[in-house]
Amino acid sequence: AQVDSVLARSGVTVVLRADSLPSRRFGLCGIDPQNLLQVGDGRMLHARFVVLCGGDSISVSFDQPALEDRGTGAFQTVITDPATIVVTAGGAPVAIPDTGTVEAASVKIEAPRFTLQSPHAVLTRRGGGLRVVPRP
């Protein structure tokens, strides 16, 4: 029920995939073990915060609930106010067309309670969602 309530929030569903990382996983650089819920199907709900790292300089910070899929290495969350999401590449704003894909270097995504920094990433928008595949 907790997972469903987190994912059912209205906003932009952000999915981070670790497919392009050498280990096919993000490193866990910070968690709150008292607010971690094992769902039982290979997923973990980080109810308060989780900090990810990977590759050379990939860093991701969720200061809100995030769902981890231990099988695929993916993480997802919902950013409830889409207007607050700022995506930049090399410091310049990046526009991702609806149902489009953009590949960029020096990527930064910032929103209240969520930040991502990656030397390279593929960003895809589809149906109210944003898929991010960071690359070292």
Side-chain angles (χ1 to χ4, degrees), residues 49-91:
F49 80 88
V50 61
V51 178
L52 309 177
C53 50
D56 297 326
S57 58
I58 296 170
S59 65
V60 185
S61 178
F62 297 88
D63 290 322
Q64 64 182 29
L67 184 65
E68 174 186 6
D69 185 326
R70 309 266 313 175
T72 65
F75 281 78
Q76 72 181 52
T77 193
V78 176
I79 299 174
T80 56
D81 187 357
T84 63
I85 301 171
V86 177
V87 180
T88 59

Side-chain angles (χ1 to χ4, degrees), residues 1-20:
Q2 281 183 301
V3 169
D4 291 342
S5 71
V6 167
L7 298 180
R9 295 180 296 168
S10 65
V12 174
T13 300
V14 177
V15 177
L16 300 178
R17 303 208 34 121
D19 303 6
S20 296

Side-chain angles (χ1 to χ4, degrees), residues 2-3 28 30-40 42-52 64-70 75:
Q2 281 183 301
V3 169
L28 294 174
I31 64 168
D32 178 359
Q34 292 182 332
N35 288 289
L36 186 62
L37 175 66
Q38 187 166 349
V39 178
R43 297 182 302 163
M44 304 282 282
L45 178 63
H46 298 266
R48 198 168 78 91
F49 80 88
V50 61
V51 178
L52 309 177
Q64 64 182 29
L67 184 65
E68 174 186 6
D69 185 326
R70 309 266 313 175
F75 281 78

